[in-house]
């Protein structure tokens, strides 16, 4: 009888232990909300499906390593994402240039070196442009809420705001340039090439200017973590994991979307003209 009671007691204790372990194992991971727009070549929305692209692969790997679930927003304008990051309604953004204004309400974690922007002209535009000073005579279109690193370019925009038109997307900028309503478009290089590739009517309608937007030092694009996030206790682990993903080659493997030499750009291939003598 005593032996039977001891056996029952052991079974009961074992059942309690298994129940505790089961409950512990089922503790849900924290869920971080990622606010994102449609950014060609990096993260794109197609219909009602979840976004796809290198940014998505990178963020999913980050979430896996840190130990949180990723909640994707619907396709959201960048300005609204910034407001949500500021008030803590969203936790994460990606593909962000650094600005002091953004750093006020989010931690900016660098993960990949910035590729300079490109100045596009119409294919039949004969002008040779290789100096920033030449831009002051042009009407230019840029993408709203896109931040430029080049201080001279920013100074020109501030001094001559009438020379700059802002639109909501790269595609809208190309449309204005194609119709001759502006002289040039300054846009992120990889995303703008993707827009041209996906719209046959834009094929070979533009060329790259000879102007190169140089940086005085290395510049990086960043993952943004809201300073009002409910999950700031993960900040150090996220920051440490991003650094590890750079060191072990994961960022380059998942995010390395440099244009392959054999991949067509669908740009006009006019020979580079030399700067006329002065």
């Amino acid at each position: 009888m005593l032996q039977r009671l001891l056996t029952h007691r052991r079974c009961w204790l074992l059942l309690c232990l298994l129940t505790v372990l089961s409950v512990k194992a089922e503790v849900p991971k924290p869920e971080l909300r990622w606010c994102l727009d449609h950014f060609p070549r990096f993260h794109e929305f197609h219909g009602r499906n979840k976004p796809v692209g290198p940014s998505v692969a990178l963020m999913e790997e980050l979430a896996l390593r840190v130990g949180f679930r990723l909640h994707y927003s619907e396709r959201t304008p960048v300005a609204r994402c910034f407001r949500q990051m500021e008030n803590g309604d969203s936790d994460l953004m990606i593909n962000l240039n650094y600005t002091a204004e953004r750093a006020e309400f989010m931690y900016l974690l660098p993960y990949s070196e910035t590729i300079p922007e490109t100045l596009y002209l119409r294919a039949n535009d004969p002008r040779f442009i290789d100096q920033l000073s030449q831009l002051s005579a042009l009407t230019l279109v840029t993408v709203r809420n896109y931040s430029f690193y080049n201080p001279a370019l920013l100074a020109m925009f501030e001094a001559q705001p009438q020379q700059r038109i802002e639109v909501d997307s790269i595609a809208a900028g190309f449309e204005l340039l194609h119709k001759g309503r502006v002289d040039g478009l300054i846009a992120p290089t990889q995303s703008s090439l993707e827009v041209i590739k996906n719209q046959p009517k834009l094929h070979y309608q533009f060329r790259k200017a000879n102007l190169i937007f140089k940086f005085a030092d290395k510049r990086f694009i960043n993952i943004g973590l809201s300073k009002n996030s409910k999950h700031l206790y993960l900040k150090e682990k996220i920051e440490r994991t991003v650094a590890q993903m750079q060191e072990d080659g994961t960022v380059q493997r998942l995010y390395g979307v440099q244009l392959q030499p054999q991949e067509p750009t669908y740009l006009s291939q006019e020979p580079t003209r030399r700067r006329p003598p002065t």
Side-chain angles (χ1 to χ4, degrees):
M1 181 69 177
L2 179 60
Q3 183 66 32
R4 197 183 322 174
L5 286 174
L6 289 173
T7 301
H8 281 299
R9 182 178 177 82
R10 290 194 192 100
C11 289
W12 180 80
L13 288 173
L14 180 60
L15 180 61
C16 289
L17 178 61
L18 290 174
T19 301
V20 169
L21 291 175
S22 176
V23 169
K24 186 176 181 180
E26 292 174 4
V27 173
K29 293 180 180 180
E31 181 177 83
L32 275 66
R33 180 179 171 84
W34 175 19
C35 192
L36 64 165
D37 61 339
H38 182 86
F39 193 30
R41 202 178 184 94
F42 294 96
H43 46 264
E44 303 180 354
F45 286 87
H46 299 288
R48 295 179 177 273
N49 299 321
K50 84 167 191 176
V52 295
S55 299
V56 179
L58 186 71
M59 292 292 275
E60 288 179 343
E61 179 66 18
L62 177 64
L64 179 65
R65 293 192 186 192
V66 173
F68 64 85
R69 291 191 299 118
L70 203 55
H71 176 87
Y72 305 93
S73 73
E74 297 178 350
R75 180 172 177 171
T76 306
V78 175
R80 189 183 304 165
C81 282
F82 286 144
R83 289 195 297 270
Q84 292 181 7
M85 292 287 284
E86 193 166 6
N87 60 31
D89 288 340
S90 287
D91 304 293
L92 297 166
M93 290 182 70
I94 196 173
N95 285 298
L96 298 174
N97 286 335
Y98 177 93
T99 70
E101 181 182 6
R102 293 172 184 178
E104 289 180 2
F105 60 88
M106 67 174 89
Y107 295 103
L108 292 162
L109 313 177
Y111 66 93
S112 185
E113 192 171 345
T114 299
I115 300 171
E117 295 82 12
T118 294
L119 169 63
Y120 293 96
L121 305 172
R122 285 183 296 280
N124 60 359
D125 189 330
R127 285 174 286 196
F128 183 93
I129 297 175
D130 67 345
Q131 301 293 323
L132 271 173
S133 58
Q134 295 174 273
L135 299 184
S136 61
L138 305 181
T139 300
L140 300 170
V141 60
T142 63
V143 179
R144 188 174 289 109
N145 292 308
Y146 182 82
S147 175
F148 293 94
Y149 272 131
N150 193 295
L153 182 62
L154 290 172
M156 187 197 76
F157 286 151
E158 290 177 4
Q160 298 177 288
Q162 71 281 2
Q163 299 298 108
R164 181 188 187 186
I165 296 173
E166 291 185 290
V167 292
D168 289 330
S169 67
I170 296 171
F174 275 126
E175 193 70 24
L176 287 183
L177 182 58
H178 189 216
K179 292 179 178 178
R181 296 179 182 173
V182 295
D183 300 307
L185 163 68
I186 302 177
T189 298
Q190 299 292 345
S191 295
S192 53
L193 290 173
E194 189 74 5
V195 170
I196 293 174
K197 184 181 79 171
N198 292 334
Q199 297 193 33
K201 69 177 182 179
L202 301 181
H203 289 184
Y204 306 108
Q205 300 301 308
F206 311 103
R207 65 179 179 87
K208 287 186 178 182
N210 296 77
L211 176 64
I212 298 175
F213 295 101
K214 296 179 180 179
F215 302 136
D217 49 18
K218 280 188 176 183
R219 300 284 184 168
F220 293 87
I221 48 177
N222 301 269
I223 293 171
L225 173 64
S226 170
K227 290 185 176 180
N228 285 316
S229 169
K230 298 175 183 177
H231 306 287
L232 281 183
Y233 59 90
L234 291 173
K235 175 184 175 292
E236 290 186 5
K237 191 171 184 180
I238 291 174
E239 196 167 12
R240 187 168 61 250
T241 302
V242 170
Q244 290 171 350
M245 289 170 65
Q246 289 176 289
E247 292 171 4
D248 66 20
T250 300
V251 171
Q252 178 60 31
R253 175 173 58 84
L254 298 178
Y255 203 79
V257 291
Q258 301 291 338
L259 194 66
Q260 298 300 317
Q262 71 275 13
E263 186 177 347
T265 62
Y266 300 101
L267 293 172
S268 174
Q269 298 300 315
E270 291 185 0
T272 301
R273 297 181 290 277
R274 292 187 177 183
R275 185 173 178 78
T278 55

